[in-house]
Amino acid sequence: MRKYISLLLAGAMAVGMLGGCGSAFEDGASSSASSGGSSAGAESGSVQESGGAAAKETGTAGENMIRIPAKNEFPTVDCQMNTEFYVVPLNIYDRLVECEVVDGVAMIVPSLAESWDISDDGLVYTFHLRDDVTFHDGGKFTADDVVYTVERMMNPDTRALNTDFFSMIKGANAMLDGGADHVEGVKAVDDNTVEFTLEVPFAPFLANLATPSCSIYSRTATEAAGDQFGIDPAVTVGSGPFRIVDWVLNDKITLVRNDDYFKGPAKADGVEIIQVPDENTQKLMYENGELDVVDLSSSTSQLAYFMNNDTYKDNLVTGPEAGSYFYAFNLDMKPTDDVRVRRAISMAIDRETILEQMYSGAGHVVNSMLPDGVLGTYEAQEIPYDPDGAKALLAEAGYADGCELEIYQTTDNPDALAINQVVQSMLSQVGIKVTIKQVDEAAYYAERKEGKIGMTRSVWWADFNDPDNFLYTFFTEKNTKARSMNYKNTDVYQWLEDARAMVDEEERMALYQKIDTTVVQEDVVVFPLFQMDHIVVVQDWVKGFQIPWNGWTDTSYYTVSIER
């Protein structure tokens, strides 16, 4: 039974690896959003060097720089205007709170806010801010900078891309729509206290604030920078452990240590983010000692090489990638309008074989939309691999002689095509004839928005550590149509709204597990495949590197040291 699959997989492996990205994008698509300005700001092709009056010299580049590759040039490092490239924002800015792994568990921990209070009704969050934080230009951080950050995001003139992260704040959407000149629900009580009032209770609010998109900006420095903020290093000011001092387009970005950082100086002298688009070149540069860290979730064509090479077995750092690979069904299209057919499809796909032979076993099969490492994970019932059972269900549904099925994907997506071809072969063994329909990206997303594409392979990575990020995103009435699932279950719609408003964490997690069981096990709206391992290869002299909890390939290098 497995032999024919192995032969097909062997041919598919050359294109069968998928890289992580800075944020959660499906079907391998990159962000369709663009920055409000271009990073090609300097006519010479090089972004201006730091050294202007806006920057305070605290730390200089030294020999102990962490050198990492980047496959694409960044449009901007203003994370209100960027939904994908997070490595610079995570290292030069701070947030009110952070999500960090503590004793193996991802937790919300203090950062610019040293503590906070939440009202009993879940509507008011009061943050008590540190009074010892300065920005890179020497300016003091206060509550006014938090108010400014929120209102800059929601100002329609900013044309920000990440407004959803603040949209739950009272009056935020009114400002975004042009009906107000400020956000009613955020106010500076005093220099060291800021208060947020929400429109309705939103339990994931703290987790939301830990995302790169919610990085806090200096009002003084950012207003002075104007449209060069995030583009010109001289005026791009944060409060983080590193500061950006140089940006040479199509070459590298240089960050150096901020010796005045409120948590104490970073261990490394800085970080060099070097443009290396070709994955084989990344491998060669690593082997030549020219790169210190290579994230194999981005350099996926080299994953098998490093995993199967005993020379590097002690150089691999591994952890769960907080994301899910799954197939989504369209419940308005035949034959997947019948739950028995959807269940049969799930039972006819051998996930273990796909994972082992296509992804070098670098992950594990999952039976839930909630990946390990994300709040609310639970032991879900196993979805069996049972081709005979699949045939029986098809017969019961009236397809004893088989049926035809279309699997949709975007063109120019070799990973999706490779796995779809494997699934096509597997489903043929139970009488399902699969046609893989490739559609250009614009048409794919236009049709999907109208609820008109069929079964499709999707990937979703965690942006913030809450089940809401995985369940509300897909299974509300609005979102399920926009993602072409067309799932109609008013109980689930209501449960998702109820969960957002719950103050009791235990009750909320129990409700999310009920939702997940309903959509995955009972109604089979989606078929979870697996969760990949996040694997990074580091040089012997790199110390303290940890896999981030989230689904990004980007991370903070604050605790990493170079000991040559």
Side-chain angles (χ1 to χ4, degrees):
M1 184 66 176
R2 293 174 182 246
K3 184 176 181 181
Y4 79 92
I5 298 171
S6 299
L7 291 172
L8 177 58
L9 283 166
M13 283 181 66
V15 293
M17 306 304 295
L18 174 68
C21 61
S23 187
F25 293 101
E26 298 170 81
D27 202 30
S30 61
S31 171
S32 60
S34 61
S35 129
S38 168
S39 59
E43 292 181 4
S44 64
S46 171
V47 178
Q48 295 177 356
E49 268 192 64
S50 176
K56 180 184 178 184
E57 293 298 328
T58 58
T60 56
E63 65 177 11
N64 291 324
M65 301 289 285
I66 303 167
R67 299 162 301 174
I68 64 173
K71 293 174 70 174
N72 301 289
E73 185 58 85
F74 305 159
T76 177
V77 297
D78 176 355
C79 50
Q80 293 189 355
M81 305 299 297
N82 173 21
T83 62
E84 188 171 4
F85 300 106
Y86 290 160
V87 64
V88 176
L90 285 167
N91 285 282
I92 69 172
Y93 308 123
D94 290 298
R95 290 134 294 275
L96 290 174
V97 296
E98 305 286 355
C99 187
E100 297 178 356
V101 176
V102 179
D103 296 329
V105 179
M107 300 178 61
I108 301 298
V109 298
S111 185
L112 293 176
E114 58 186 0
S115 64
W116 52 88
D117 305 307
I118 307 172
S119 63
D120 290 341
D121 61 7
L123 285 174
V124 181
Y125 289 69
T126 305
F127 291 91
H128 307 285
L129 309 179
R130 297 184 65 115
D131 63 0
D132 58 349
V133 179
T134 56
F135 290 102
H136 298 155
D137 64 350
K140 184 175 176 58
F141 161 69
T142 70
D144 180 65
D145 297 305
V146 180
V147 174
Y148 168 74
T149 298
V150 174
E151 294 189 338
R152 179 182 188 266
M153 177 90 87
M154 306 313 294
N155 186 333
D157 293 338
T158 303
R159 301 177 67 184
L161 305 179
N162 291 306
T163 56
D164 282 353
F165 287 104
F166 290 144
S167 64
M168 69 292 297
I169 301 170
K170 187 175 183 179
N173 286 324
M175 184 174 183
L176 183 64
D177 294 340
D181 59 5
H182 72 285
V183 175
E184 179 184 352
V186 59
K187 67 177 181 179
V189 178
D190 55 42
D191 280 354
N192 298 317
T193 311
V194 65
E195 182 181 276
F196 289 86
T197 301
L198 309 186
E199 292 279 6
V200 295
F202 182 67
F205 185 60
L206 281 177
N208 223 45
L209 293 181
T211 62
S213 302
C214 296
S215 297
I216 302 301
Y217 294 162
S218 160
R219 178 190 291 272
T220 300
T222 310
E223 286 185 339
D227 62 6
Q228 291 302 296
F229 183 81
I231 296 172
D232 181 355
V235 296
T236 300
V237 170
S239 62
F242 300 96
R243 57 189 180 83
I244 179 171
V245 296
D246 193 31
W247 185 352
V248 180
L249 292 178
N250 302 312
D251 184 8
K252 68 180 177 181
I253 294 178
T254 303
L255 313 180
V256 299
R257 182 175 57 229
N258 170 19
D259 288 334
D260 293 332
Y261 189 49
F262 68 91
K263 295 179 184 178
K267 295 181 179 180
D269 291 337
V271 183
E272 290 183 340
I273 304 156
I274 304 167
Q275 287 294 319
V276 190
D278 181 70
E279 295 179 4
N280 191 58
T281 303
Q282 291 185 14
K283 179 193 77 171
L284 294 174
M285 290 179 68
Y286 174 86
E287 293 184 317
N288 290 336
E290 299 172 79
L291 291 173
D292 300 308
V293 177
V294 176
D295 193 320
L296 298 175
S297 294
S298 290
S299 190
T300 51
S301 66
Q302 305 307 312
L303 179 60
Y305 173 82
F306 282 105
M307 287 187 65
N308 298 327
N309 191 328
D310 286 342
T311 302
Y312 301 113
K313 64 181 180 180
D314 295 329
N315 297 89
L316 299 178
V317 184
T318 303
E321 183 180 87
S324 294
Y325 287 53
F326 59 95
Y327 274 100
F329 299 110
N330 190 327
L331 276 58
D332 277 356
M333 281 187 173
K334 289 188 177 298
T336 53
D337 60 337
D338 191 316
V339 67
R340 293 167 295 185
V341 174
R342 301 195 296 273
R343 196 179 305 280
I345 291 170
S346 302
M347 293 166 64
I349 297 174
D350 186 351
R351 298 174 291 171
E352 292 283 4
T353 293
I354 296 174
L355 182 64
E356 182 63 33
Q357 298 194 31
M358 193 170 178
Y359 296 92
S360 302
H364 61 277
V365 166
V366 295
N367 301 289
S368 163
M369 278 293 286
L370 302 176
D372 292 344
V374 172
L375 187 67
T377 302
Y378 70 106
E379 192 67 36
Q381 181 180 337
E382 182 181 0
I383 301 169
Y385 170 56
D386 182 3
D388 291 335
K391 291 178 183 178
L393 279 173
L394 289 171
E396 183 182 321
Y399 298 108
D401 295 328
C403 59
E404 295 186 359
L405 173 70
E406 287 186 330
I407 296 180
Y408 282 64
Q409 69 164 85
T410 57
T411 54
D412 301 320
N413 189 341
D415 178 77
L417 181 60
I419 194 171
N420 286 338
Q421 287 174 334
V422 174
V423 168
Q424 180 184 49
S425 184
M426 289 178 172
L427 293 182
S428 72
Q429 303 302 300
V430 298
I432 300 176
K433 181 181 179 182
V434 173
T435 299
I436 299 172
K437 187 170 182 179
Q438 299 191 58
V439 183
D440 72 79
E441 188 171 299
Y444 177 91
Y445 286 105
E447 289 184 46
R448 193 184 75 163
K449 185 177 180 181
E450 296 299 318
K452 295 179 179 178
I453 69 169
M455 178 177 167
T456 186
R457 196 275 332 237
S458 290
V459 188
W460 189 257
W461 292 282
D463 275 321
F464 58 94
N465 188 18
D466 197 274
D468 182 88
N469 192 202
F470 285 84
L471 299 178
Y472 195 95
T473 301
F474 289 93
F475 304 110
T476 60
E477 183 174 13
K478 177 182 177 181
N479 290 340
T480 187
K481 178 179 180 180
R483 297 179 184 280
S484 271
M485 291 184 286
N486 296 307
Y487 178 47
K488 301 173 182 66
N489 188 323
T490 54
D491 287 338
V492 168
Y493 301 161
Q494 187 59 53
W495 295 340
L496 286 166
E497 298 296 341
D498 292 344
R500 283 188 152 192
M502 283 183 173
V503 176
D504 187 294
E505 190 80 339
E506 187 174 337
E507 289 183 8
R508 195 166 73 91
M509 292 304 109
L511 182 53
Y512 277 128
Q513 291 175 14
K514 181 179 180 180
I515 294 167
D516 186 78
T517 299
T518 301
V519 299
V520 175
Q521 304 284 345
E522 297 174 11
D523 294 341
V524 198
V525 188
V526 292
F527 172 45
L529 296 171
F530 30 72
Q531 177 178 359
M532 300 300 295
D533 291 337
H534 191 160
I535 303 175
V536 177
V537 60
V538 303
Q539 299 284 8
D540 293 337
W541 52 80
V542 174
K543 308 298 180 183
F545 183 89
Q546 294 184 335
I547 298 295
W549 74 270
N550 48 53
W552 315 316
T553 57
D554 298 328
T555 190
S556 169
Y557 287 90
Y558 173 61
T559 61
V560 178
S561 62
I562 299 294
E563 301 176 13
R564 298 184 192 277

